[in-house]
């Protein structure tokens, strides 16, 4: 998707930071932006207990206010402190966010719900993508918008299939609703990765030579990117864990331990981009593997430090992105370039938001029923209708990934002179603002109304202390009097059919304890 990323990374960063200004102006711009970031943190802290507002909304609103001030002070010429470049987002801002998501994830809950998360995060993206792409293709000309080609419509399907679950996760409490939190969190990460991978696959299509098998080529490219990117992330995480265990950096310097983990994580992301793979998937699984093995091979002080450093970098990157989105809503150049009537713009906004609502509902409720049917005999907790509504709502908000994909598709280094493409950029910004602010405002009241007593799932909190029979049952040999390998295999097969997730997890635990941890480290 970004073929020039490797060679243009530093140049892109320079163009983002310096924005073609003189050095004194650059110092002023960076200073002001950092000051506004600090303001976002302070205001977010003061509004922490507010029922309606969260960090994302705070950053966007402050971004709009600052953009308005800059717009008036520059007499309508500019609304930005810095200029956005989608490559900078993918190279510098996205990696810490995704890595921290993998590093902080509760692995037991994540993998126990892995099948359901894959349903929502992979199959759901394809369903939403199909509905949004087809709907835009059919309805946009009816409101007076033309000039988009087939690739643009397919790209719009991926752009608006990418969710942003930050608002919902800030309201849910992992210790109170662990399974629901795991589903929303897991789907959010996998959804973003799937959207980017699917976007890459679409960008590679030659639409001048489309054949009847084109959809199979997209699926083939998607599976290739998904599997190879995951394998690369796992390999990098294991290599880091082995190096930390074998060389024991902590005996000389904890700084080296932390630096190696951070740099190897970033290296995995950049290597994936260099190989035209998905850096999101790679760095996410690298984070999971590092938290499972490498984190236990460093000193105690490094364990505490790494968790705080990675979480802090992720928080700053997220705030940075939402702050810029607020400013970008007032980019006068894009609005002037768009040259689209208010009636047409209103129709476009209504179509996109309606398709997002329908596309989300089209897979959340059916796939939840399917998940309940599959796990009905093996799970103590099913996905209730109230939980389905929360999962549906959590994915209605669009965020930074949608903005970055839109810029990648419709601009060159953040600039476009095509009126239709400029309309798509402004439409994406408006949809992100509307979904984040309006849906985000209603998130806390909705969850409070649906889950007035979060403790109702307190039984799920025992997930970190799973009953021994969940792990040991498939490994219990048949009665000693039976002593038959055939009966043992039959029993294991029966457990696999009745409790597939728990049984696979149990076999993995046995393999992990016997082969992986002695080599790569891990908890004692």
């Amino acid at each position: 998707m970004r073929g020039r990323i490797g060679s243009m990374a530093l140049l892109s960063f320079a163009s983002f930071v310096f924005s073609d200004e003189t050095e004194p102006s650059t110092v002023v711009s960076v200073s002001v932006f950092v000051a506004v970031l600090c303001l976002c943190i302070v205001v977010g802290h003061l509004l922490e207990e507010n029922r309606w507002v969260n960090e994302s909304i705070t950053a966007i609103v402050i971004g709009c206010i600052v953009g308005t001030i800059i717009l008036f002070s520059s007499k309508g010429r500019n609304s930005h402190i810095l200029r956005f470049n989608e490559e900078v987002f993918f190279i510098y801002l996205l990696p810490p966010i995704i890595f921290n998501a993998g590093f902080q994830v509760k692995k037991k809950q994540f993998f126990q719900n892995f099948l359901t998360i894959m349903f929502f995060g992979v199959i759901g993206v394809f369903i939403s993508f199909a509905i949004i792409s087809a709907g835009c293709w059919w309805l946009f000309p009816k409101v007076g918008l033309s000039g988009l080609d087939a690739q643009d419509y397919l790209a719009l399907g991926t752009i608006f299939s990418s969710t942003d679950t930050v608002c919902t996760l800030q309201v849910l409490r992992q210790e109170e609703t662990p399974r629901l939190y795991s589903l929303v969190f897991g789907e959010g990460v996998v959804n973003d990765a799937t959207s980017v991978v699917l976007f890459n696959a679409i960008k590679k299509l030659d639409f001048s030579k489309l054949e009847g098998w084109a959809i199979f080529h997209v699926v083939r490219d998607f599976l290739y990117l998904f599997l190879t990117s995951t394998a690369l992330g796992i390999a990098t995480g294991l290599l880091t864990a082995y190096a930390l265990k074998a060389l024991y950096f902590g005996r000389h310097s904890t700084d080296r331990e932390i630096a190696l983990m951070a740099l190897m994580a970033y290296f995995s992301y950049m290597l994936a981009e260099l190989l035209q793979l998905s850096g999101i998937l790679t760095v996410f699984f690298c984070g999971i593997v590092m938290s499972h093995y490498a984190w236990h091979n460093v000193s105690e002080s490094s364990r505490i430090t790494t968790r705080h450093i990675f979480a802090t970098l992720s928080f700053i990157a997220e705030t940075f992105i939402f702050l810029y989105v607020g400013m970008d809503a007032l980019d006068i150049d894009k609005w002037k370039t768009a040259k689209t009537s208010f009636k047409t713009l209103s129709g476009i906004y209504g179509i996109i938001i309606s398709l997002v609502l329908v596309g989300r509902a089209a897979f959340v409720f059916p796939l939840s029923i399917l998940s309940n049917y599959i796990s009905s005999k093996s799970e103590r907790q099913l996905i209730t209708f109230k939980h389905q509504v929360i999962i549906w709502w959590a994915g209605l908000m669009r965020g930074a990934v949608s903005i970055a994909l839109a810029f990648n598709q419709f601009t060159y280094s953040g600039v476009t002179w095509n009126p239709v493409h400029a309309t798509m950029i402004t439409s994406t910004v408006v949809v992100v603002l509307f979904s984040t602010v309006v849906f985000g405002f209603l998130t806390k009241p909705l969850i409070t109304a649906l889950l007035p007593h979060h403790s109702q799932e307190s039984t799920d909190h025992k997930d970190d202390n799973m009953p021994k029979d969940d792990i040991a049952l498939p490994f219990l040999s048949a009665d000693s009097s039976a002593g038959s390998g055939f009966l043992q295999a039959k029993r294991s097969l029966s457990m696999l059919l009745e409790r597939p997730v728990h049984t696979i997890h149990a076999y993995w635990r046995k393999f992990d304890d016997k082969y992986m941890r002695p080599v790569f480290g891990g908890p004692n």
Side-chain angles (χ1 to χ4, degrees):
M1 181 177 67
R2 301 172 297 281
R4 62 184 186 281
I5 277 183
S7 60
M8 296 291 290
L10 293 178
L11 181 60
S12 299
F13 183 71
S15 67
F16 176 78
V17 173
F18 293 105
S19 187
D20 299 327
E21 298 175 357
T22 60
E23 185 175 349
S25 299
T26 302
V27 173
V28 172
S29 298
V30 173
S31 300
V32 172
F33 203 93
V34 171
V36 176
L37 279 174
C38 295
L39 177 64
C40 288
I41 294 172
V42 173
V43 174
H45 169 71
L46 296 176
L47 297 176
E48 180 68 27
E49 302 300 326
N50 189 280
R51 184 185 181 190
W52 302 92
V53 180
N54 55 54
E55 297 281 359
S56 304
I57 296 175
T58 301
I60 285 180
V61 171
I62 291 177
C64 289
I65 295 173
V66 173
T68 303
I69 295 173
I70 296 173
L71 190 65
F72 279 106
S73 63
S74 65
K75 298 180 180 180
R77 292 192 302 270
N78 186 30
S79 66
H80 297 107
I81 300 174
L82 303 173
R83 180 182 298 168
F84 184 85
N85 186 318
E86 75 278 3
E87 289 183 353
V88 173
F89 169 80
F90 282 107
I91 296 173
Y92 300 104
L93 300 179
L94 190 59
I97 296 173
I98 302 300
F99 176 76
N100 184 65
F103 195 77
Q104 304 285 357
V105 69
K106 296 293 184 181
K107 295 178 290 296
K108 187 175 292 186
Q109 275 287 344
F110 180 83
F111 286 106
Q112 281 181 354
N113 297 298
F114 188 75
L115 186 61
T116 304
I117 290 172
M118 289 296 108
F119 279 166
F120 291 152
V122 178
I123 298 176
V125 167
F126 276 88
I127 295 174
S128 179
F129 157 76
I131 291 174
I132 294 174
S133 296
C136 291
W137 203 329
W138 177 46
L139 294 173
F140 276 5
K142 295 183 182 298
V143 296
L145 180 70
S146 58
L148 296 175
D149 57 27
Q151 188 181 63
D152 291 332
Y153 284 115
L154 294 179
L156 285 173
T158 61
I159 289 168
F160 292 110
S161 293
S162 174
T163 65
D164 180 51
T165 58
V166 172
C167 288
T168 306
L169 291 176
Q170 288 174 346
V171 179
L172 291 175
R173 293 291 180 264
Q174 188 167 4
E175 65 276 5
E176 296 173 345
T177 56
R179 185 162 190 247
L180 179 60
Y181 186 97
S182 176
L183 291 176
V184 172
F185 171 84
E187 190 228 337
V189 176
V190 176
N191 173 287
D192 284 347
T194 304
S195 298
V196 175
V197 172
L198 184 57
F199 184 84
N200 288 348
I202 290 171
K203 294 278 283 187
K204 291 180 180 179
L205 279 179
D206 185 358
F207 284 82
S208 63
K209 301 177 181 178
L210 275 184
E211 303 173 354
W213 297 94
I215 183 64
F216 295 101
H217 293 318
V218 172
V219 174
R220 179 199 63 191
D221 291 344
F222 171 81
L223 292 175
Y224 168 77
L225 289 171
F226 198 96
L227 296 175
T228 52
S229 301
T230 300
L232 178 61
I234 293 173
T236 308
L238 291 176
L239 177 63
T240 307
Y242 181 78
L244 289 171
K245 179 176 171 55
L247 301 178
Y248 187 41
F249 287 83
R251 69 176 181 268
H252 292 146
S253 171
T254 58
D255 297 338
R256 291 189 178 94
E257 295 178 318
I258 300 170
L260 183 65
M261 290 180 68
L263 291 175
M264 285 297 289
Y266 190 69
F267 174 72
S268 72
Y269 182 89
M270 294 306 299
L271 182 60
E273 294 295 335
L274 183 65
L275 298 175
Q276 299 294 306
L277 303 177
S278 170
I280 290 181
L281 274 175
T282 298
V283 79
F284 175 68
F285 280 96
C286 181
I288 290 179
V289 172
M290 280 194 185
S291 68
H292 188 64
Y293 296 110
W295 188 74
H296 297 278
N297 297 336
V298 299
S299 60
E300 185 65 29
S301 59
S302 293
R303 294 179 192 176
I304 299 172
T305 305
T306 50
R307 286 201 177 276
H308 287 295
I309 285 179
F310 296 147
T312 301
L313 291 175
S314 174
F315 172 76
I316 293 174
E318 288 179 357
T319 306
F320 189 107
I321 292 165
F322 282 110
L323 182 60
Y324 190 90
V325 168
M327 294 182 187
D328 200 64
L330 300 170
D331 188 346
I332 197 68
D333 291 332
K334 292 188 180 68
W335 287 102
K336 287 180 178 178
T337 305
K339 298 179 181 179
T340 307
S341 68
F342 179 76
K343 181 179 178 181
T344 300
L345 286 175
S346 300
I348 293 171
Y349 304 154
I351 288 170
I352 294 174
I353 293 172
S354 299
L355 290 174
V356 167
L357 293 168
V358 173
R360 182 80 184 162
F363 74 83
V364 168
F365 298 104
L367 292 181
S368 296
I369 295 172
L370 176 62
S371 176
N372 286 340
Y373 177 77
I374 292 175
S375 62
S376 59
K377 294 182 180 180
S378 61
E379 301 289 343
R380 295 183 299 275
Q381 291 284 338
L382 302 179
I383 306 176
T384 65
F385 180 74
K386 290 183 178 180
H387 288 179
Q388 293 173 30
V389 172
I390 292 175
I391 294 170
W392 170 73
W393 185 268
L396 294 179
M397 283 152 277
R398 298 297 177 261
V401 174
S402 295
I403 292 287
L405 294 181
F407 270 77
N408 187 279
Q409 178 68 22
F410 298 111
T411 72
Y412 181 81
S413 295
V415 178
T416 181
W417 301 110
N418 185 317
V420 178
H421 289 179
T423 300
M424 289 296 94
I425 293 294
T426 56
S427 299
T428 303
V429 172
V430 169
V431 170
V432 169
L433 283 172
F434 178 86
S435 63
T436 302
V437 175
V438 176
F439 295 155
F441 266 126
L442 299 175
T443 297
K444 285 186 179 180
L446 176 70
I447 293 178
T448 302
L450 293 176
L451 301 176
H453 303 291
H454 286 186
S455 60
Q456 64 189 9
E457 276 196 22
S458 60
T459 54
D460 270 359
H461 186 47
K462 298 177 182 178
D463 113 275
D464 287 333
N465 300 294
M466 184 189 294
K468 294 182 178 180
D469 60 331
D470 282 344
I471 298 177
L473 198 52
F475 306 135
L476 292 176
S477 60
D479 294 339
S480 57
S481 58
S484 169
F486 175 76
L487 292 178
Q488 172 79 9
K490 182 178 179 181
R491 180 182 179 86
S492 295
L493 179 61
S494 175
M495 286 299 304
L496 180 61
L497 294 175
E498 292 180 4
R499 310 190 68 181
V501 176
H502 288 281
T503 306
I504 293 172
H505 179 261
Y507 278 115
W508 160 249
R509 285 288 299 274
K510 184 178 182 181
F511 175 81
D512 188 35
D513 291 339
K514 186 174 182 180
Y515 298 104
M516 300 296 289
R517 291 184 180 180
V519 177
F520 299 105
N524 294 327

